[in-house]
mmCIF file of all heavy atoms in Angstrom:
data_model
loop_
_atom_site.group_PDB
_atom_site.id
_atom_site.type_symbol
_atom_site.label_atom_id
_atom_site.label_comp_id
_atom_site.label_asym_id
_atom_site.label_seq_id
_atom_site.Cartn_x
_atom_site.Cartn_y
_atom_site.Cartn_z
ATOM 1 N N GLU A 24 31.526 -56.235 -45.729
ATOM 2 C CA GLU A 24 32.383 -55.696 -46.795
ATOM 3 C C GLU A 24 33.845 -55.642 -46.337
ATOM 4 O O GLU A 24 34.756 -55.935 -47.121
ATOM 5 C CB GLU A 24 31.904 -54.310 -47.227
ATOM 6 C CG GLU A 24 30.542 -54.311 -47.909
ATOM 7 C CD GLU A 24 30.476 -55.063 -49.234
ATOM 8 O OE1 GLU A 24 31.530 -55.402 -49.814
ATOM 9 O OE2 GLU A 24 29.343 -55.320 -49.687
ATOM 10 N N LYS A 25 34.046 -55.311 -45.071
ATOM 11 C CA LYS A 25 35.410 -55.287 -44.532
ATOM 12 C C LYS A 25 36.016 -56.688 -44.575
ATOM 13 O O LYS A 25 37.162 -56.863 -44.984
ATOM 14 C CB LYS A 25 35.414 -54.742 -43.102
ATOM 15 C CG LYS A 25 36.787 -54.624 -42.508
ATOM 16 C CD LYS A 25 36.742 -53.996 -41.130
ATOM 17 C CE LYS A 25 38.142 -53.945 -40.544
ATOM 18 N NZ LYS A 25 38.160 -53.367 -39.199
ATOM 19 N N LEU A 26 35.229 -57.683 -44.170
ATOM 20 C CA LEU A 26 35.711 -59.066 -44.218
ATOM 21 C C LEU A 26 36.033 -59.469 -45.656
ATOM 22 O O LEU A 26 37.099 -60.018 -45.929
ATOM 23 C CB LEU A 26 34.671 -60.019 -43.622
ATOM 24 C CG LEU A 26 34.919 -61.521 -43.812
ATOM 25 C CD1 LEU A 26 36.256 -61.951 -43.214
ATOM 26 C CD2 LEU A 26 33.771 -62.323 -43.222
ATOM 27 N N LEU A 27 35.140 -59.189 -46.576
ATOM 28 C CA LEU A 27 35.340 -59.592 -47.968
ATOM 29 C C LEU A 27 36.531 -58.903 -48.625
ATOM 30 O O LEU A 27 37.065 -59.403 -49.613
ATOM 31 C CB LEU A 27 34.068 -59.329 -48.778
ATOM 32 C CG LEU A 27 32.862 -60.180 -48.388
ATOM 33 C CD1 LEU A 27 31.628 -59.720 -49.159
ATOM 34 C CD2 LEU A 27 33.118 -61.660 -48.603
ATOM 35 N N SER A 28 36.958 -57.779 -48.068
ATOM 36 C CA SER A 28 38.098 -57.058 -48.636
ATOM 37 C C SER A 28 39.444 -57.502 -48.054
ATOM 38 O O SER A 28 40.489 -57.061 -48.518
ATOM 39 C CB SER A 28 37.926 -55.551 -48.428
ATOM 40 O OG SER A 28 38.093 -55.218 -47.061
ATOM 41 N N MET A 29 39.416 -58.370 -47.065
ATOM 42 C CA MET A 29 40.663 -58.819 -46.438
ATOM 43 C C MET A 29 41.460 -59.714 -47.390
ATOM 44 O O MET A 29 40.882 -60.496 -48.136
ATOM 45 C CB MET A 29 40.368 -59.553 -45.129
ATOM 46 C CG MET A 29 39.735 -58.671 -44.069
ATOM 47 S SD MET A 29 39.313 -59.574 -42.555
ATOM 48 C CE MET A 29 40.965 -59.736 -41.834
ATOM 49 N N GLU A 30 42.768 -59.588 -47.332
ATOM 50 C CA GLU A 30 43.626 -60.444 -48.147
ATOM 51 C C GLU A 30 43.739 -61.840 -47.557
ATOM 52 O O GLU A 30 43.817 -62.830 -48.282
ATOM 53 C CB GLU A 30 45.016 -59.828 -48.285
ATOM 54 C CG GLU A 30 45.049 -58.597 -49.164
ATOM 55 C CD GLU A 30 46.452 -58.056 -49.340
ATOM 56 O OE1 GLU A 30 47.420 -58.850 -49.283
ATOM 57 O OE2 GLU A 30 46.589 -56.847 -49.532
ATOM 58 N N THR A 31 43.780 -61.897 -46.230
ATOM 59 C CA THR A 31 43.934 -63.158 -45.507
ATOM 60 C C THR A 31 43.131 -63.076 -44.218
ATOM 61 O O THR A 31 43.095 -62.023 -43.577
ATOM 62 C CB THR A 31 45.424 -63.412 -45.159
ATOM 63 O OG1 THR A 31 46.208 -63.330 -46.349
ATOM 64 C CG2 THR A 31 45.616 -64.768 -44.506
ATOM 65 N N VAL A 32 42.509 -64.196 -43.828
ATOM 66 C CA VAL A 32 41.750 -64.219 -42.576
ATOM 67 C C VAL A 32 41.653 -65.655 -42.075
ATOM 68 O O VAL A 32 41.604 -66.600 -42.859
ATOM 69 C CB VAL A 32 40.339 -63.610 -42.740
ATOM 70 C CG1 VAL A 32 39.462 -64.462 -43.641
ATOM 71 C CG2 VAL A 32 39.683 -63.369 -41.392
ATOM 72 N N ALA A 33 41.654 -65.786 -40.746
ATOM 73 C CA ALA A 33 41.362 -67.061 -40.089
ATOM 74 C C ALA A 33 40.084 -66.851 -39.290
ATOM 75 O O ALA A 33 40.033 -65.995 -38.401
ATOM 76 C CB ALA A 33 42.509 -67.481 -39.178
ATOM 77 N N LEU A 34 39.045 -67.602 -39.622
ATOM 78 C CA LEU A 34 37.763 -67.512 -38.935
ATOM 79 C C LEU A 34 37.839 -68.394 -37.699
ATOM 80 O O LEU A 34 37.992 -69.615 -37.812
ATOM 81 C CB LEU A 34 36.634 -67.964 -39.857
ATOM 82 C CG LEU A 34 36.547 -67.233 -41.200
ATOM 83 C CD1 LEU A 34 35.502 -67.886 -42.084
ATOM 84 C CD2 LEU A 34 36.263 -65.755 -40.990
ATOM 85 N N GLY A 35 37.741 -67.778 -36.521
ATOM 86 C CA GLY A 35 37.968 -68.507 -35.290
ATOM 87 C C GLY A 35 36.742 -68.742 -34.441
ATOM 88 O O GLY A 35 35.809 -67.945 -34.424
ATOM 89 N N CYS A 36 36.778 -69.870 -33.746
ATOM 90 C CA CYS A 36 35.731 -70.254 -32.804
ATOM 91 C C CYS A 36 36.377 -71.145 -31.741
ATOM 92 O O CYS A 36 37.509 -71.591 -31.908
ATOM 93 C CB CYS A 36 34.616 -70.997 -33.527
ATOM 94 S SG CYS A 36 33.254 -71.466 -32.439
ATOM 95 N N TYR A 37 35.655 -71.409 -30.671
ATOM 96 C CA TYR A 37 36.186 -72.234 -29.580
ATOM 97 C C TYR A 37 36.108 -73.728 -29.870
ATOM 98 O O TYR A 37 36.787 -74.522 -29.212
ATOM 99 C CB TYR A 37 35.434 -71.934 -28.278
ATOM 100 C CG TYR A 37 35.659 -70.526 -27.794
ATOM 101 C CD1 TYR A 37 34.648 -69.576 -27.869
ATOM 102 C CD2 TYR A 37 36.882 -70.134 -27.263
ATOM 103 C CE1 TYR A 37 34.843 -68.274 -27.435
ATOM 104 C CE2 TYR A 37 37.094 -68.830 -26.832
ATOM 105 C CZ TYR A 37 36.075 -67.908 -26.917
ATOM 106 O OH TYR A 37 36.283 -66.629 -26.495
ATOM 107 N N CYS A 38 35.314 -74.147 -30.836
ATOM 108 C CA CYS A 38 35.142 -75.579 -31.122
ATOM 109 C C CYS A 38 36.467 -76.202 -31.570
ATOM 110 O O CYS A 38 37.270 -75.567 -32.254
ATOM 111 C CB CYS A 38 34.097 -75.784 -32.211
ATOM 112 S SG CYS A 38 32.467 -75.155 -31.793
ATOM 113 N N LYS A 39 36.646 -77.461 -31.207
ATOM 114 C CA LYS A 39 37.858 -78.179 -31.595
ATOM 115 C C LYS A 39 37.844 -78.480 -33.090
ATOM 116 O O LYS A 39 36.786 -78.653 -33.695
ATOM 117 C CB LYS A 39 37.963 -79.487 -30.812
ATOM 118 C CG LYS A 39 38.212 -79.278 -29.340
ATOM 119 C CD LYS A 39 38.327 -80.594 -28.616
ATOM 120 C CE LYS A 39 38.564 -80.321 -27.137
ATOM 121 N NZ LYS A 39 38.628 -81.560 -26.359
ATOM 122 N N ALA A 40 39.026 -78.577 -33.657
ATOM 123 C CA ALA A 40 39.164 -78.941 -35.073
ATOM 124 C C ALA A 40 38.531 -80.305 -35.310
ATOM 125 O O ALA A 40 38.605 -81.186 -34.450
ATOM 126 C CB ALA A 40 40.631 -78.959 -35.469
ATOM 127 N N GLY A 41 37.888 -80.455 -36.446
ATOM 128 C CA GLY A 41 37.304 -81.730 -36.808
ATOM 129 C C GLY A 41 35.901 -81.957 -36.285
ATOM 130 O O GLY A 41 35.315 -83.000 -36.535
ATOM 131 N N THR A 42 35.354 -80.983 -35.561
ATOM 132 C CA THR A 42 33.988 -81.117 -35.044
ATOM 133 C C THR A 42 33.069 -80.167 -35.809
ATOM 134 O O THR A 42 33.518 -79.214 -36.436
ATOM 135 C CB THR A 42 33.910 -80.796 -33.540
ATOM 136 O OG1 THR A 42 34.315 -79.444 -33.316
ATOM 137 C CG2 THR A 42 34.804 -81.723 -32.732
ATOM 138 N N PHE A 43 31.778 -80.435 -35.718
ATOM 139 C CA PHE A 43 30.799 -79.543 -36.331
ATOM 140 C C PHE A 43 30.952 -78.163 -35.703
ATOM 141 O O PHE A 43 31.002 -78.031 -34.482
ATOM 142 C CB PHE A 43 29.384 -80.073 -36.088
ATOM 143 C CG PHE A 43 28.318 -79.160 -36.603
ATOM 144 C CD1 PHE A 43 27.985 -79.150 -37.949
ATOM 145 C CD2 PHE A 43 27.655 -78.289 -35.751
ATOM 146 C CE1 PHE A 43 27.006 -78.306 -38.429
ATOM 147 C CE2 PHE A 43 26.672 -77.438 -36.225
ATOM 148 C CZ PHE A 43 26.346 -77.442 -37.564
ATOM 149 N N CYS A 44 31.047 -77.128 -36.535
ATOM 150 C CA CYS A 44 31.260 -75.777 -36.023
ATOM 151 C C CYS A 44 30.787 -74.737 -37.030
ATOM 152 O O CYS A 44 30.948 -74.925 -38.235
ATOM 153 C CB CYS A 44 32.738 -75.558 -35.729
ATOM 154 S SG CYS A 44 33.106 -73.903 -35.138
ATOM 155 N N HIS A 45 30.257 -73.651 -36.513
ATOM 156 C CA HIS A 45 29.741 -72.593 -37.386
ATOM 157 C C HIS A 45 30.825 -71.911 -38.199
ATOM 158 O O HIS A 45 30.531 -71.321 -39.230
ATOM 159 C CB HIS A 45 28.952 -71.555 -36.563
ATOM 160 C CG HIS A 45 29.791 -70.606 -35.818
ATOM 161 N ND1 HIS A 45 30.382 -70.907 -34.601
ATOM 162 C CD2 HIS A 45 30.173 -69.341 -36.115
ATOM 163 C CE1 HIS A 45 31.072 -69.868 -34.188
ATOM 164 N NE2 HIS A 45 30.966 -68.901 -35.084
ATOM 165 N N ARG A 46 32.068 -71.973 -37.777
ATOM 166 C CA ARG A 46 33.117 -71.289 -38.554
ATOM 167 C C ARG A 46 33.226 -71.865 -39.960
ATOM 168 O O ARG A 46 33.570 -71.154 -40.896
ATOM 169 C CB ARG A 46 34.460 -71.294 -37.818
ATOM 170 C CG ARG A 46 35.132 -72.632 -37.667
ATOM 171 C CD ARG A 46 36.458 -72.480 -36.898
ATOM 172 N NE ARG A 46 37.126 -73.724 -36.674
ATOM 173 C CZ ARG A 46 37.169 -74.377 -35.518
ATOM 174 N NH1 ARG A 46 36.558 -73.888 -34.461
ATOM 175 N NH2 ARG A 46 37.833 -75.502 -35.400
ATOM 176 N N HIS A 47 32.911 -73.140 -40.112
ATOM 177 C CA HIS A 47 32.956 -73.762 -41.430
ATOM 178 C C HIS A 47 31.764 -73.328 -42.284
ATOM 179 O O HIS A 47 31.901 -73.143 -43.494
ATOM 180 C CB HIS A 47 33.019 -75.278 -41.296
ATOM 181 C CG HIS A 47 34.185 -75.726 -40.456
ATOM 182 N ND1 HIS A 47 35.485 -75.650 -40.903
ATOM 183 C CD2 HIS A 47 34.246 -76.200 -39.199
ATOM 184 C CE1 HIS A 47 36.301 -76.071 -39.956
ATOM 185 N NE2 HIS A 47 35.568 -76.417 -38.901
ATOM 186 N N ILE A 48 30.621 -73.140 -41.641
ATOM 187 C CA ILE A 48 29.439 -72.640 -42.343
ATOM 188 C C ILE A 48 29.698 -71.205 -42.797
ATOM 189 O O ILE A 48 29.368 -70.827 -43.923
ATOM 190 C CB ILE A 48 28.194 -72.725 -41.431
ATOM 191 C CG1 ILE A 48 27.935 -74.176 -41.017
ATOM 192 C CG2 ILE A 48 26.975 -72.120 -42.134
ATOM 193 C CD1 ILE A 48 26.925 -74.333 -39.893
ATOM 194 N N LEU A 49 30.296 -70.407 -41.926
ATOM 195 C CA LEU A 49 30.638 -69.026 -42.275
ATOM 196 C C LEU A 49 31.630 -69.010 -43.437
ATOM 197 O O LEU A 49 31.485 -68.222 -44.376
ATOM 198 C CB LEU A 49 31.211 -68.284 -41.067
ATOM 199 C CG LEU A 49 31.727 -66.877 -41.326
ATOM 200 C CD1 LEU A 49 30.640 -65.969 -41.896
ATOM 201 C CD2 LEU A 49 32.308 -66.287 -40.037
ATOM 202 N N LYS A 50 32.616 -69.884 -43.391
ATOM 203 C CA LYS A 50 33.590 -69.932 -44.489
ATOM 204 C C LYS A 50 32.891 -70.233 -45.808
ATOM 205 O O LYS A 50 33.189 -69.607 -46.826
ATOM 206 C CB LYS A 50 34.678 -70.964 -44.206
ATOM 207 C CG LYS A 50 35.717 -71.051 -45.321
ATOM 208 C CD LYS A 50 36.872 -71.954 -44.979
ATOM 209 C CE LYS A 50 36.464 -73.387 -45.030
ATOM 210 N NZ LYS A 50 37.607 -74.325 -44.947
ATOM 211 N N GLU A 51 31.941 -71.166 -45.795
ATOM 212 C CA GLU A 51 31.179 -71.478 -47.007
ATOM 213 C C GLU A 51 30.445 -70.239 -47.518
ATOM 214 O O GLU A 51 30.418 -69.983 -48.729
ATOM 215 C CB GLU A 51 30.163 -72.585 -46.726
ATOM 216 C CG GLU A 51 30.774 -73.942 -46.458
ATOM 217 C CD GLU A 51 29.755 -74.944 -45.910
ATOM 218 O OE1 GLU A 51 28.541 -74.638 -45.878
ATOM 219 O OE2 GLU A 51 30.179 -76.042 -45.510
ATOM 220 N N ALA A 52 29.853 -69.481 -46.607
ATOM 221 C CA ALA A 52 29.118 -68.274 -46.989
ATOM 222 C C ALA A 52 30.062 -67.226 -47.582
ATOM 223 O O ALA A 52 29.738 -66.585 -48.593
ATOM 224 C CB ALA A 52 28.372 -67.706 -45.790
ATOM 225 N N VAL A 53 31.217 -67.048 -46.966
ATOM 226 C CA VAL A 53 32.188 -66.072 -47.464
ATOM 227 C C VAL A 53 32.666 -66.475 -48.856
ATOM 228 O O VAL A 53 32.728 -65.642 -49.770
ATOM 229 C CB VAL A 53 33.377 -65.919 -46.481
ATOM 230 C CG1 VAL A 53 34.509 -65.110 -47.097
ATOM 231 C CG2 VAL A 53 32.909 -65.295 -45.174
ATOM 232 N N ILE A 54 32.969 -67.744 -49.031
ATOM 233 C CA ILE A 54 33.415 -68.223 -50.339
ATOM 234 C C ILE A 54 32.330 -68.006 -51.393
ATOM 235 O O ILE A 54 32.623 -67.566 -52.511
ATOM 236 C CB ILE A 54 33.858 -69.702 -50.253
ATOM 237 C CG1 ILE A 54 35.195 -69.786 -49.498
ATOM 238 C CG2 ILE A 54 33.954 -70.342 -51.632
ATOM 239 C CD1 ILE A 54 35.641 -71.205 -49.162
ATOM 240 N N LYS A 55 31.099 -68.267 -51.044
ATOM 241 C CA LYS A 55 29.996 -68.056 -51.982
ATOM 242 C C LYS A 55 29.907 -66.592 -52.403
ATOM 243 O O LYS A 55 29.744 -66.282 -53.590
ATOM 244 C CB LYS A 55 28.679 -68.501 -51.346
ATOM 245 C CG LYS A 55 27.502 -68.425 -52.266
ATOM 246 C CD LYS A 55 26.255 -68.990 -51.593
ATOM 247 C CE LYS A 55 25.062 -68.908 -52.515
ATOM 248 N NZ LYS A 55 23.853 -69.464 -51.896
ATOM 249 N N LEU A 56 30.054 -65.682 -51.447
ATOM 250 C CA LEU A 56 30.009 -64.247 -51.761
ATOM 251 C C LEU A 56 31.192 -63.839 -52.635
ATOM 252 O O LEU A 56 31.032 -63.056 -53.581
ATOM 253 C CB LEU A 56 29.982 -63.421 -50.479
ATOM 254 C CG LEU A 56 28.676 -63.490 -49.685
ATOM 255 C CD1 LEU A 56 28.867 -62.901 -48.292
ATOM 256 C CD2 LEU A 56 27.562 -62.773 -50.430
ATOM 257 N N LEU A 57 32.369 -64.366 -52.340
ATOM 258 C CA LEU A 57 33.547 -64.062 -53.156
ATOM 259 C C LEU A 57 33.345 -64.557 -54.585
ATOM 260 O O LEU A 57 33.664 -63.851 -55.548
ATOM 261 C CB LEU A 57 34.799 -64.688 -52.539
ATOM 262 C CG LEU A 57 35.265 -64.092 -51.209
ATOM 263 C CD1 LEU A 57 36.329 -64.981 -50.572
ATOM 264 C CD2 LEU A 57 35.778 -62.668 -51.380
ATOM 265 N N GLU A 58 32.801 -65.768 -54.725
ATOM 266 C CA GLU A 58 32.544 -66.318 -56.060
ATOM 267 C C GLU A 58 31.525 -65.476 -56.814
ATOM 268 O O GLU A 58 31.696 -65.219 -58.012
ATOM 269 C CB GLU A 58 32.061 -67.768 -55.948
ATOM 270 C CG GLU A 58 33.147 -68.731 -55.541
ATOM 271 C CD GLU A 58 32.657 -70.147 -55.305
ATOM 272 O OE1 GLU A 58 31.438 -70.362 -55.121
ATOM 273 O OE2 GLU A 58 33.518 -71.053 -55.280
ATOM 274 N N GLN A 59 30.465 -65.036 -56.121
ATOM 275 C CA GLN A 59 29.451 -64.201 -56.769
ATOM 276 C C GLN A 59 30.040 -62.899 -57.293
ATOM 277 O O GLN A 59 29.576 -62.364 -58.298
ATOM 278 C CB GLN A 59 28.315 -63.896 -55.791
ATOM 279 C CG GLN A 59 27.415 -65.067 -55.511
ATOM 280 C CD GLN A 59 26.385 -64.775 -54.434
ATOM 281 O OE1 GLN A 59 26.400 -63.741 -53.778
ATOM 282 N NE2 GLN A 59 25.479 -65.719 -54.226
ATOM 283 N N ARG A 60 31.048 -62.404 -56.621
ATOM 284 C CA ARG A 60 31.694 -61.150 -57.028
ATOM 285 C C ARG A 60 32.863 -61.375 -57.978
ATOM 286 O O ARG A 60 33.516 -60.424 -58.394
ATOM 287 C CB ARG A 60 32.173 -60.395 -55.792
ATOM 288 C CG ARG A 60 31.021 -59.900 -54.952
ATOM 289 C CD ARG A 60 31.490 -59.223 -53.707
ATOM 290 N NE ARG A 60 30.346 -58.653 -53.012
ATOM 291 C CZ ARG A 60 30.425 -57.623 -52.204
ATOM 292 N NH1 ARG A 60 31.576 -57.030 -51.982
ATOM 293 N NH2 ARG A 60 29.340 -57.168 -51.606
ATOM 294 N N GLY A 61 33.158 -62.610 -58.257
ATOM 295 C CA GLY A 61 34.284 -62.920 -59.137
ATOM 296 C C GLY A 61 35.626 -62.632 -58.501
ATOM 297 O O GLY A 61 36.608 -62.395 -59.218
ATOM 298 N N LEU A 62 35.675 -62.674 -57.178
ATOM 299 C CA LEU A 62 36.917 -62.380 -56.461
ATOM 300 C C LEU A 62 37.688 -63.667 -56.185
ATOM 301 O O LEU A 62 37.091 -64.691 -55.833
ATOM 302 C CB LEU A 62 36.609 -61.659 -55.149
ATOM 303 C CG LEU A 62 35.952 -60.284 -55.296
ATOM 304 C CD1 LEU A 62 35.527 -59.741 -53.945
ATOM 305 C CD2 LEU A 62 36.895 -59.319 -55.997
ATOM 306 N N PRO A 63 38.999 -63.620 -56.316
ATOM 307 C CA PRO A 63 39.803 -64.827 -56.101
ATOM 308 C C PRO A 63 39.912 -65.177 -54.616
ATOM 309 O O PRO A 63 39.893 -64.306 -53.753
ATOM 310 C CB PRO A 63 41.169 -64.442 -56.668
ATOM 311 C CG PRO A 63 41.236 -62.964 -56.514
ATOM 312 C CD PRO A 63 39.822 -62.461 -56.694
#
């Protein structure tokens, strides 16, 4: 709930940009939750 209430966030991990990484999966999950709540 704290994460979903943030105005801005960068989800960080040690993986290099452009590689398979869980931060992108997490971002998808967060976006899905925001959409379910009708949050921009």
